Amino acid sequence: MKTTMKSFLVITVLIIATAFTINPDKGYQVGDDAADFKLENIDGKMVSMANYSEAKGFIIVFTCNTCPYSVANEDRIIALDKKYKAKGYPVIAINPNDPKAIEGDDMADMKVRAEEKGFTFPYLVDKGQKVYPLYGATKTPHVYVIRKEGAKNIVEYIGAIDDSSRNPDAVTKKFVENAVDNLLAGKKPEVTYTRAIGCSIKTVK
Amino acid sequence: MRNFLFFLCLILILSSCKNEHVEVKKTATTNQTFIEVTLEDIPTVNYEGLEPIFNKKDDKTYVINFWATWCLPCVKELPYFERINQEYKDVEVILVSLDFPKQKEKRLISFVNKKKIQSQVIHFDDFNEQVWIPKIDKNWSGAIPATIIYNKNKRKFYEQSFTEEELQKEVQSFLKS
């Protein structure tokens, strides 16, 4: 019985591992030192990672108002912040969309949405769309888990929140939670890269 | 033991998935009047149920378009796919909707009726997207619109929007081969 269980586990891990051997073309890779940013929050204040002297790291989520995948993940993003802020990994949300390219994603819309949903984390504007290309984000939502190491911000996980973006009731693997749990335990995340599922980031062509 | 329980749950979840295979039929000809669809007319399938539409070995060319009612570029190019479906006798268009499960009735069914869509529409719903997206095509990021055109000789995947001219040209390149 035990051997069957073990070989089943090994096969499953192998299948999952092969499904994850895709790398983004550009932007940060896991292990890179991510640049800090200074972006305006919906309350008018400027926010940088450097403001969080107590944090052990960050859950950076590129997300927006208008994408149905982002909306479907809002409650999960709030839950991540509630669970991990106190443990040293707060959520920082960044809206990468150009509000000129899509209706519903400007600062005023973001304020309304954050208030409606009761966002417990900063919701920043990627003004001029400088930050998301640097990180290599392509989707909303697109998550980067970052671990602070001295003055460095090391990228530890890139991808999706979990394995069921459209249906929270069908989630079997919580990629971000697992990654942060491992980091909190002083270990490396087991899964470091997944496909971010969502809408393309909107730019004026 | 915890691992075992986890996999037991996983197996239960997987085996409880719907497994209806999709019977693909030409639903309309050019002059046919549109009959309103109901929830039952548009099947909801998981990946296992969807897979047969990628592996047809007959003489037709299949154009499979992934779309959703909330995806503006997808909605824009739908009429081009509809015309392909009507104009070419040996081409079959299948529109795979990624609309959210909760919005199937409110958004998808009403959209199909409003636009009088004649091509076959399938509603696709599966979890574990890290597995099914690369199965559909290893280069797919999961973004829509995305299209597969194939016949028994040739297969191509497109993660892009089409103009009508581009789509016609691509489909015709399959009919020559």
Side-chain angles (χ1 to χ4, degrees), chain A residues 124-163:
Chain A
L124 312 179
V125 180
D126 188 3
K127 197 177 175 190
Q129 298 189 301
K130 299 265 183 347
V131 174
Y132 90 76
L134 195 62
Y135 277 65
T138 55
K139 296 286 165 59
T140 54
H142 205 154
V143 182
Y144 290 72
V145 173
I146 285 175
R147 176 181 56 86
K148 281 214 289 194
E149 188 185 278
K152 287 182 177 172
N153 297 303
I154 306 295
V155 178
E156 296 283 4
Y157 169 82
I158 303 174
I161 291 172
D162 53 44
D163 65 348

mmCIF file of all heavy atoms in Angstrom, chain A residues 124-163:
data_model
loop_
_atom_site.group_PDB
_atom_site.id
_atom_site.type_symbol
_atom_site.label_atom_id
_atom_site.label_comp_id
_atom_site.label_asym_id
_atom_site.label_seq_id
_atom_site.Cartn_x
_atom_site.Cartn_y
_atom_site.Cartn_z
ATOM 1 N N LEU A 124 -2.119 50.309 -6.332
ATOM 2 C CA LEU A 124 -1.281 51.338 -6.937
ATOM 3 C C LEU A 124 -1.511 51.460 -8.438
ATOM 4 O O LEU A 124 -1.903 50.497 -9.103
ATOM 5 C CB LEU A 124 0.205 51.004 -6.692
ATOM 6 C CG LEU A 124 0.599 50.621 -5.260
ATOM 7 C CD1 LEU A 124 2.095 50.302 -5.207
ATOM 8 C CD2 LEU A 124 0.262 51.733 -4.279
ATOM 9 N N VAL A 125 -1.226 52.651 -8.935
ATOM 10 C CA VAL A 125 -1.341 52.898 -10.373
ATOM 11 C C VAL A 125 0.050 52.795 -10.997
ATOM 12 O O VAL A 125 0.976 53.473 -10.559
ATOM 13 C CB VAL A 125 -1.891 54.325 -10.627
ATOM 14 C CG1 VAL A 125 -2.013 54.590 -12.122
ATOM 15 C CG2 VAL A 125 -3.228 54.508 -9.940
ATOM 16 N N ASP A 126 0.184 51.959 -12.009
ATOM 17 C CA ASP A 126 1.456 51.867 -12.725
ATOM 18 C C ASP A 126 1.479 52.974 -13.780
ATOM 19 O O ASP A 126 1.358 52.734 -14.977
ATOM 20 C CB ASP A 126 1.599 50.481 -13.378
ATOM 21 C CG ASP A 126 2.986 50.263 -13.983
ATOM 22 O OD1 ASP A 126 3.844 51.160 -13.842
ATOM 23 O OD2 ASP A 126 3.199 49.202 -14.580
ATOM 24 N N LYS A 127 1.646 54.195 -13.273
ATOM 25 C CA LYS A 127 1.563 55.363 -14.145
ATOM 26 C C LYS A 127 2.687 55.330 -15.186
ATOM 27 O O LYS A 127 3.850 55.142 -14.840
ATOM 28 C CB LYS A 127 1.653 56.649 -13.308
ATOM 29 C CG LYS A 127 1.171 57.871 -14.051
ATOM 30 C CD LYS A 127 1.221 59.101 -13.157
ATOM 31 C CE LYS A 127 0.848 60.328 -13.973
ATOM 32 N NZ LYS A 127 1.121 61.552 -13.215
ATOM 33 N N GLY A 128 2.319 55.469 -16.443
ATOM 34 C CA GLY A 128 3.317 55.403 -17.513
ATOM 35 C C GLY A 128 3.679 53.969 -17.882
ATOM 36 O O GLY A 128 4.503 53.737 -18.760
ATOM 37 N N GLN A 129 3.079 53.000 -17.180
ATOM 38 C CA GLN A 129 3.296 51.567 -17.449
ATOM 39 C C GLN A 129 4.780 51.197 -17.494
ATOM 40 O O GLN A 129 5.256 50.528 -18.418
ATOM 41 C CB GLN A 129 2.591 51.161 -18.747
ATOM 42 C CG GLN A 129 1.072 51.345 -18.660
ATOM 43 C CD GLN A 129 0.346 50.738 -19.840
ATOM 44 O OE1 GLN A 129 0.606 51.119 -20.965
ATOM 45 N NE2 GLN A 129 -0.566 49.810 -19.585
ATOM 46 N N LYS A 130 5.505 51.630 -16.438
ATOM 47 C CA LYS A 130 6.947 51.358 -16.385
ATOM 48 C C LYS A 130 7.258 50.093 -15.595
ATOM 49 O O LYS A 130 8.264 49.431 -15.845
ATOM 50 C CB LYS A 130 7.670 52.540 -15.714
ATOM 51 C CG LYS A 130 7.516 53.874 -16.446
ATOM 52 C CD LYS A 130 8.673 54.091 -17.358
ATOM 53 C CE LYS A 130 8.703 55.414 -18.097
ATOM 54 N NZ LYS A 130 7.537 56.251 -18.125
ATOM 55 N N VAL A 131 6.427 49.784 -14.587
ATOM 56 C CA VAL A 131 6.784 48.722 -13.652
ATOM 57 C C VAL A 131 6.452 47.331 -14.196
ATOM 58 O O VAL A 131 7.263 46.405 -14.132
ATOM 59 C CB VAL A 131 6.103 48.951 -12.275
ATOM 60 C CG1 VAL A 131 6.353 47.766 -11.341
ATOM 61 C CG2 VAL A 131 6.624 50.233 -11.643
ATOM 62 N N TYR A 132 5.235 47.172 -14.783
ATOM 63 C CA TYR A 132 4.863 45.806 -15.191
ATOM 64 C C TYR A 132 5.805 45.213 -16.249
ATOM 65 O O TYR A 132 6.126 44.021 -16.177
ATOM 66 C CB TYR A 132 3.380 45.732 -15.613
ATOM 67 C CG TYR A 132 3.101 45.994 -17.070
ATOM 68 C CD1 TYR A 132 3.371 45.007 -18.030
ATOM 69 C CD2 TYR A 132 2.582 47.202 -17.505
ATOM 70 C CE1 TYR A 132 3.140 45.241 -19.378
ATOM 71 C CE2 TYR A 132 2.355 47.442 -18.848
ATOM 72 C CZ TYR A 132 2.634 46.459 -19.780
ATOM 73 O OH TYR A 132 2.423 46.697 -21.104
ATOM 74 N N PRO A 133 6.325 46.019 -17.233
ATOM 75 C CA PRO A 133 7.241 45.395 -18.200
ATOM 76 C C PRO A 133 8.570 44.985 -17.558
ATOM 77 O O PRO A 133 9.164 43.984 -17.944
ATOM 78 C CB PRO A 133 7.479 46.497 -19.243
ATOM 79 C CG PRO A 133 6.455 47.545 -18.994
ATOM 80 C CD PRO A 133 6.080 47.447 -17.553
ATOM 81 N N LEU A 134 8.984 45.770 -16.561
ATOM 82 C CA LEU A 134 10.217 45.457 -15.842
ATOM 83 C C LEU A 134 10.081 44.097 -15.145
ATOM 84 O O LEU A 134 10.992 43.273 -15.163
ATOM 85 C CB LEU A 134 10.442 46.564 -14.806
ATOM 86 C CG LEU A 134 11.801 46.700 -14.162
ATOM 87 C CD1 LEU A 134 12.846 47.013 -15.213
ATOM 88 C CD2 LEU A 134 11.762 47.813 -13.105
ATOM 89 N N TYR A 135 8.916 43.876 -14.539
ATOM 90 C CA TYR A 135 8.671 42.610 -13.855
ATOM 91 C C TYR A 135 8.397 41.483 -14.853
ATOM 92 O O TYR A 135 8.617 40.316 -14.550
ATOM 93 C CB TYR A 135 7.502 42.759 -12.869
ATOM 94 C CG TYR A 135 7.948 43.338 -11.538
ATOM 95 C CD1 TYR A 135 8.442 44.634 -11.461
ATOM 96 C CD2 TYR A 135 7.914 42.574 -10.371
ATOM 97 C CE1 TYR A 135 8.875 45.169 -10.257
ATOM 98 C CE2 TYR A 135 8.350 43.095 -9.161
ATOM 99 C CZ TYR A 135 8.830 44.383 -9.112
ATOM 100 O OH TYR A 135 9.275 44.895 -7.919
ATOM 101 N N GLY A 136 7.866 41.860 -16.014
ATOM 102 C CA GLY A 136 7.528 40.832 -17.000
ATOM 103 C C GLY A 136 6.106 40.327 -16.854
ATOM 104 O O GLY A 136 5.764 39.269 -17.380
ATOM 105 N N ALA A 137 5.266 41.103 -16.139
ATOM 106 C CA ALA A 137 3.867 40.699 -16.002
ATOM 107 C C ALA A 137 3.197 40.795 -17.369
ATOM 108 O O ALA A 137 3.489 41.700 -18.157
ATOM 109 C CB ALA A 137 3.155 41.592 -14.996
ATOM 110 N N THR A 138 2.317 39.849 -17.649
ATOM 111 C CA THR A 138 1.587 39.875 -18.923
ATOM 112 C C THR A 138 0.074 39.816 -18.706
ATOM 113 O O THR A 138 -0.687 40.082 -19.614
ATOM 114 C CB THR A 138 1.981 38.671 -19.804
ATOM 115 O OG1 THR A 138 1.780 37.469 -19.049
ATOM 116 C CG2 THR A 138 3.424 38.751 -20.248
ATOM 117 N N LYS A 139 -0.339 39.435 -17.508
ATOM 118 C CA LYS A 139 -1.762 39.198 -17.273
ATOM 119 C C LYS A 139 -2.247 39.960 -16.045
ATOM 120 O O LYS A 139 -1.459 40.385 -15.211
ATOM 121 C CB LYS A 139 -1.996 37.695 -16.999
ATOM 122 C CG LYS A 139 -1.673 36.790 -18.153
ATOM 123 C CD LYS A 139 -2.725 36.904 -19.225
ATOM 124 C CE LYS A 139 -2.252 36.303 -20.520
ATOM 125 N NZ LYS A 139 -1.896 34.902 -20.407
ATOM 126 N N THR A 140 -3.571 40.085 -15.960
ATOM 127 C CA THR A 140 -4.192 40.447 -14.689
ATOM 128 C C THR A 140 -5.156 39.327 -14.337
ATOM 129 O O THR A 140 -5.990 39.003 -15.182
ATOM 130 C CB THR A 140 -4.953 41.783 -14.789
ATOM 131 O OG1 THR A 140 -5.891 41.732 -15.858
ATOM 132 C CG2 THR A 140 -4.035 42.966 -14.943
ATOM 133 N N PRO A 141 -5.041 38.701 -13.186
ATOM 134 C CA PRO A 141 -3.987 38.898 -12.171
ATOM 135 C C PRO A 141 -2.710 38.120 -12.500
ATOM 136 O O PRO A 141 -2.773 37.085 -13.130
ATOM 137 C CB PRO A 141 -4.637 38.345 -10.903
ATOM 138 C CG PRO A 141 -5.641 37.342 -11.367
ATOM 139 C CD PRO A 141 -6.083 37.759 -12.732
ATOM 140 N N HIS A 142 -1.589 38.672 -12.053
ATOM 141 C CA HIS A 142 -0.268 38.053 -12.224
ATOM 142 C C HIS A 142 0.514 38.310 -10.938
ATOM 143 O O HIS A 142 0.723 39.454 -10.568
ATOM 144 C CB HIS A 142 0.433 38.683 -13.429
ATOM 145 C CG HIS A 142 1.472 37.812 -14.066
ATOM 146 N ND1 HIS A 142 1.830 37.918 -15.387
ATOM 147 C CD2 HIS A 142 2.246 36.807 -13.564
ATOM 148 C CE1 HIS A 142 2.761 37.010 -15.676
ATOM 149 N NE2 HIS A 142 3.031 36.334 -14.585
ATOM 150 N N VAL A 143 0.908 37.250 -10.261
ATOM 151 C CA VAL A 143 1.477 37.389 -8.916
ATOM 152 C C VAL A 143 2.995 37.193 -8.903
ATOM 153 O O VAL A 143 3.513 36.304 -9.580
ATOM 154 C CB VAL A 143 0.846 36.353 -7.948
ATOM 155 C CG1 VAL A 143 1.405 36.522 -6.531
ATOM 156 C CG2 VAL A 143 -0.668 36.476 -7.932
ATOM 157 N N TYR A 144 3.678 38.036 -8.126
ATOM 158 C CA TYR A 144 5.110 37.883 -7.851
ATOM 159 C C TYR A 144 5.286 37.813 -6.339
ATOM 160 O O TYR A 144 4.971 38.776 -5.649
ATOM 161 C CB TYR A 144 5.904 39.077 -8.412
ATOM 162 C CG TYR A 144 5.963 39.088 -9.921
ATOM 163 C CD1 TYR A 144 4.833 39.396 -10.669
ATOM 164 C CD2 TYR A 144 7.141 38.754 -10.594
ATOM 165 C CE1 TYR A 144 4.869 39.363 -12.066
ATOM 166 C CE2 TYR A 144 7.191 38.722 -11.981
ATOM 167 C CZ TYR A 144 6.056 39.025 -12.712
ATOM 168 O OH TYR A 144 6.094 38.980 -14.076
ATOM 169 N N VAL A 145 5.766 36.680 -5.848
ATOM 170 C CA VAL A 145 6.082 36.595 -4.419
ATOM 171 C C VAL A 145 7.551 36.952 -4.268
ATOM 172 O O VAL A 145 8.422 36.391 -4.954
ATOM 173 C CB VAL A 145 5.800 35.185 -3.844
ATOM 174 C CG1 VAL A 145 6.295 35.092 -2.399
ATOM 175 C CG2 VAL A 145 4.307 34.866 -3.923
ATOM 176 N N ILE A 146 7.793 37.916 -3.383
ATOM 177 C CA ILE A 146 9.140 38.461 -3.212
ATOM 178 C C ILE A 146 9.603 38.288 -1.771
ATOM 179 O O ILE A 146 8.814 38.497 -0.847
ATOM 180 C CB ILE A 146 9.132 39.950 -3.630
ATOM 181 C CG1 ILE A 146 9.072 39.995 -5.162
ATOM 182 C CG2 ILE A 146 10.333 40.717 -3.080
ATOM 183 C CD1 ILE A 146 8.932 41.358 -5.736
ATOM 184 N N ARG A 147 10.850 37.865 -1.620
ATOM 185 C CA ARG A 147 11.423 37.702 -0.272
ATOM 186 C C ARG A 147 12.528 38.726 -0.095
ATOM 187 O O ARG A 147 13.385 38.892 -0.953
ATOM 188 C CB ARG A 147 11.992 36.280 -0.135
ATOM 189 C CG ARG A 147 12.707 36.012 1.195
ATOM 190 C CD ARG A 147 13.252 34.587 1.233
ATOM 191 N NE ARG A 147 14.137 34.313 0.099
ATOM 192 C CZ ARG A 147 15.442 34.589 0.084
ATOM 193 N NH1 ARG A 147 16.028 35.132 1.120
ATOM 194 N NH2 ARG A 147 16.176 34.303 -0.993
ATOM 195 N N LYS A 148 12.453 39.442 1.045
ATOM 196 C CA LYS A 148 13.506 40.428 1.320
ATOM 197 C C LYS A 148 14.757 39.712 1.819
ATOM 198 O O LYS A 148 14.685 38.803 2.651
ATOM 199 C CB LYS A 148 13.029 41.425 2.392
ATOM 200 C CG LYS A 148 12.115 42.489 1.827
ATOM 201 C CD LYS A 148 12.291 43.841 2.512
ATOM 202 C CE LYS A 148 11.745 43.860 3.920
ATOM 203 N NZ LYS A 148 11.612 45.237 4.445
ATOM 204 N N GLU A 149 15.893 40.141 1.277
ATOM 205 C CA GLU A 149 17.161 39.576 1.738
ATOM 206 C C GLU A 149 18.123 40.751 1.835
ATOM 207 O O GLU A 149 18.680 41.176 0.832
ATOM 208 C CB GLU A 149 17.642 38.538 0.720
ATOM 209 C CG GLU A 149 18.840 37.730 1.160
ATOM 210 C CD GLU A 149 19.320 36.803 0.035
ATOM 211 O OE1 GLU A 149 18.744 35.725 -0.123
ATOM 212 O OE2 GLU A 149 20.249 37.201 -0.688
ATOM 213 N N GLY A 150 18.235 41.309 3.051
ATOM 214 C CA GLY A 150 18.998 42.544 3.199
ATOM 215 C C GLY A 150 18.320 43.642 2.404
ATOM 216 O O GLY A 150 17.120 43.879 2.529
ATOM 217 N N ALA A 151 19.058 44.266 1.507
ATOM 218 C CA ALA A 151 18.483 45.334 0.692
ATOM 219 C C ALA A 151 17.862 44.781 -0.586
ATOM 220 O O ALA A 151 17.300 45.519 -1.381
ATOM 221 C CB ALA A 151 19.572 46.351 0.348
ATOM 222 N N LYS A 152 18.007 43.475 -0.793
ATOM 223 C CA LYS A 152 17.514 42.875 -2.037
ATOM 224 C C LYS A 152 16.070 42.407 -1.900
ATOM 225 O O LYS A 152 15.613 42.046 -0.814
ATOM 226 C CB LYS A 152 18.390 41.674 -2.423
ATOM 227 C CG LYS A 152 19.750 42.071 -2.936
ATOM 228 C CD LYS A 152 20.512 40.816 -3.340
ATOM 229 C CE LYS A 152 21.861 41.158 -3.935
ATOM 230 N NZ LYS A 152 22.648 39.935 -4.139
ATOM 231 N N ASN A 153 15.362 42.404 -3.030
ATOM 232 C CA ASN A 153 14.005 41.868 -3.089
ATOM 233 C C ASN A 153 14.009 40.703 -4.077
ATOM 234 O O ASN A 153 13.911 40.891 -5.282
ATOM 235 C CB ASN A 153 13.029 42.949 -3.562
ATOM 236 C CG ASN A 153 12.975 44.108 -2.579
ATOM 237 O OD1 ASN A 153 12.677 43.912 -1.407
ATOM 238 N ND2 ASN A 153 13.281 45.301 -3.061
ATOM 239 N N ILE A 154 14.183 39.505 -3.534
ATOM 240 C CA ILE A 154 14.389 38.336 -4.393
ATOM 241 C C ILE A 154 13.038 37.748 -4.843
ATOM 242 O O ILE A 154 12.174 37.452 -4.019
ATOM 243 C CB ILE A 154 15.196 37.241 -3.648
ATOM 244 C CG1 ILE A 154 16.514 37.811 -3.101
ATOM 245 C CG2 ILE A 154 15.454 36.037 -4.564
ATOM 246 C CD1 ILE A 154 17.502 38.254 -4.145
ATOM 247 N N VAL A 155 12.880 37.577 -6.152
ATOM 248 C CA VAL A 155 11.661 36.967 -6.695
ATOM 249 C C VAL A 155 11.698 35.463 -6.401
ATOM 250 O O VAL A 155 12.666 34.779 -6.749
ATOM 251 C CB VAL A 155 11.561 37.198 -8.222
ATOM 252 C CG1 VAL A 155 10.319 36.509 -8.788
ATOM 253 C CG2 VAL A 155 11.534 38.692 -8.538
ATOM 254 N N GLU A 156 10.657 34.969 -5.729
ATOM 255 C CA GLU A 156 10.630 33.549 -5.345
ATOM 256 C C GLU A 156 9.546 32.756 -6.056
ATOM 257 O O GLU A 156 9.601 31.534 -6.125
ATOM 258 C CB GLU A 156 10.432 33.416 -3.819
ATOM 259 C CG GLU A 156 11.577 33.988 -2.991
ATOM 260 C CD GLU A 156 12.805 33.073 -2.960
ATOM 261 O OE1 GLU A 156 12.804 32.033 -3.638
ATOM 262 O OE2 GLU A 156 13.774 33.429 -2.259
ATOM 263 N N TYR A 157 8.521 33.453 -6.543
ATOM 264 C CA TYR A 157 7.438 32.745 -7.245
ATOM 265 C C TYR A 157 6.788 33.713 -8.235
ATOM 266 O O TYR A 157 6.592 34.888 -7.928
ATOM 267 C CB TYR A 157 6.378 32.230 -6.257
ATOM 268 C CG TYR A 157 5.127 31.737 -6.951
ATOM 269 C CD1 TYR A 157 5.066 30.449 -7.489
ATOM 270 C CD2 TYR A 157 4.011 32.567 -7.116
ATOM 271 C CE1 TYR A 157 3.941 30.008 -8.169
ATOM 272 C CE2 TYR A 157 2.878 32.126 -7.788
ATOM 273 C CZ TYR A 157 2.854 30.855 -8.309
ATOM 274 O OH TYR A 157 1.742 30.425 -8.989
ATOM 275 N N ILE A 158 6.456 33.207 -9.425
ATOM 276 C CA ILE A 158 5.766 34.011 -10.439
ATOM 277 C C ILE A 158 4.608 33.195 -10.996
ATOM 278 O O ILE A 158 4.798 32.035 -11.369
ATOM 279 C CB ILE A 158 6.712 34.380 -11.609
ATOM 280 C CG1 ILE A 158 7.955 35.131 -11.110
ATOM 281 C CG2 ILE A 158 5.976 35.215 -12.659
ATOM 282 C CD1 ILE A 158 9.005 35.393 -12.196
ATOM 283 N N GLY A 159 3.432 33.806 -11.051
ATOM 284 C CA GLY A 159 2.344 33.099 -11.732
ATOM 285 C C GLY A 159 0.962 33.345 -11.191
ATOM 286 O O GLY A 159 0.587 34.469 -10.863
ATOM 287 N N ALA A 160 0.202 32.255 -11.103
ATOM 288 C CA ALA A 160 -1.207 32.306 -10.718
ATOM 289 C C ALA A 160 -1.356 32.187 -9.207
ATOM 290 O O ALA A 160 -0.457 31.696 -8.523
ATOM 291 C CB ALA A 160 -1.963 31.170 -11.397
ATOM 292 N N ILE A 161 -2.505 32.609 -8.689
ATOM 293 C CA ILE A 161 -2.784 32.490 -7.265
ATOM 294 C C ILE A 161 -2.992 31.020 -6.900
ATOM 295 O O ILE A 161 -2.470 30.537 -5.896
ATOM 296 C CB ILE A 161 -4.019 33.341 -6.895
ATOM 297 C CG1 ILE A 161 -3.654 34.832 -7.031
ATOM 298 C CG2 ILE A 161 -4.528 33.014 -5.478
ATOM 299 C CD1 ILE A 161 -4.824 35.782 -6.882
ATOM 300 N N ASP A 162 -3.781 30.336 -7.742
ATOM 301 C CA ASP A 162 -4.034 28.911 -7.494
ATOM 302 C C ASP A 162 -4.341 28.250 -8.828
ATOM 303 O O ASP A 162 -4.140 28.858 -9.883
ATOM 304 C CB ASP A 162 -5.180 28.743 -6.478
ATOM 305 C CG ASP A 162 -6.427 29.519 -6.895
ATOM 306 O OD1 ASP A 162 -6.787 29.457 -8.074
ATOM 307 O OD2 ASP A 162 -7.019 30.202 -6.038
ATOM 308 N N ASP A 163 -4.844 27.027 -8.795
ATOM 309 C CA ASP A 163 -5.031 26.296 -10.052
ATOM 310 C C ASP A 163 -6.463 26.346 -10.578
ATOM 311 O O ASP A 163 -6.843 25.557 -11.425
ATOM 312 C CB ASP A 163 -4.580 24.835 -9.897
ATOM 313 C CG ASP A 163 -5.436 24.054 -8.914
ATOM 314 O OD1 ASP A 163 -6.226 24.679 -8.178
ATOM 315 O OD2 ASP A 163 -5.315 22.821 -8.876
#
